[in-house]
Amino acid sequence: MFGAADFDDTEFDDGLLEEELRRAAAVLDPVPAELQQLAVDAYALHDLDARVAELTFDSLVDALPVRGAPATPRMLTFRAGEVTVDVEVTQDGLMGQVLPPQPARIEVLGGPRPGTPLTADDLGRFTADTPLPGPFALRLRTDAHIVVTEWLRA
């Protein structure tokens, strides 16, 4: 059996152990190249001037389920200060509205591929007819604000 004398705490180097563990993980369980690229791209999308919109309503969580109802669209509401974005996500794409109503440029962000550009009309309405295959976020640019939503799965 090991006794207290077998372990000398004065010779233990945390930095050396951490480095050895990092090297072992890099060899035995490397980060997939696609995941690493996603992380780099997500950081590149970081916009210091943007306000992060808080998710205030998600029909998957907040709505009351109706038994026997067919699949319904997912309804989302984001808020950043005085700007609200209502979004309806379906299997065919999404549609939404910026409130208060105003024109805006919107990007549907989806990982490493370039954002899909959309334009909101004078009433703040926008649509995208492309299905959202994975996680997505929205970046809105109005005359006064840049707003980015959190990432969600469609």
Side-chain angles (χ1 to χ4, degrees):
M1 289 292 182
F2 293 106
D6 294 326
F7 298 101
D8 187 1
D9 290 337
T10 59
E11 294 181 26
F12 189 75
D13 184 357
D14 289 341
L16 182 60
L17 175 61
E18 181 180 355
E19 183 58 34
E20 286 295 319
L21 289 172
R22 285 183 191 276
R23 278 192 238 145
V27 171
L28 299 173
D29 189 20
V31 176
E34 331 55 78
L35 183 60
Q36 189 168 5
Q37 188 61 46
L38 277 172
V40 169
D41 291 341
Y43 183 77
L45 294 173
H46 181 72
D47 193 340
L48 294 177
D49 295 332
R51 298 170 68 188
V52 177
E54 176 186 0
L55 179 64
T56 59
F57 177 82
D58 183 346
S59 63
L60 288 181
V61 177
D62 301 318
L64 295 174
V66 177
R67 189 171 63 157
T72 57
R74 184 175 183 186
M75 307 298 291
L76 303 165
T77 300
F78 299 95
R79 172 167 272 138
E82 63 277 358
V83 176
T84 300
V85 182
D86 289 324
V87 180
E88 178 179 313
V89 180
T90 67
Q91 61 185 357
D92 300 323
L94 63 84
M95 67 176 148
Q97 185 174 20
V98 179
L99 298 168
Q102 57 191 299
R105 291 183 321 278
I106 301 161
E107 287 178 87
V108 179
L109 307 173
R113 60 189 180 277
T116 304
L118 305 172
T119 303
D121 62 17
D122 291 340
L123 297 176
R125 300 173 299 190
F126 59 92
T127 61
D129 296 330
T130 306
L132 302 170
F136 74 97
L138 301 175
R139 180 184 295 140
L140 295 89
R141 296 177 191 273
T142 66
D143 289 338
H145 304 284
I146 300 173
V147 175
V148 177
T149 68
E150 64 183 85
W151 287 82
L152 295 170
R153 283 213 171 269

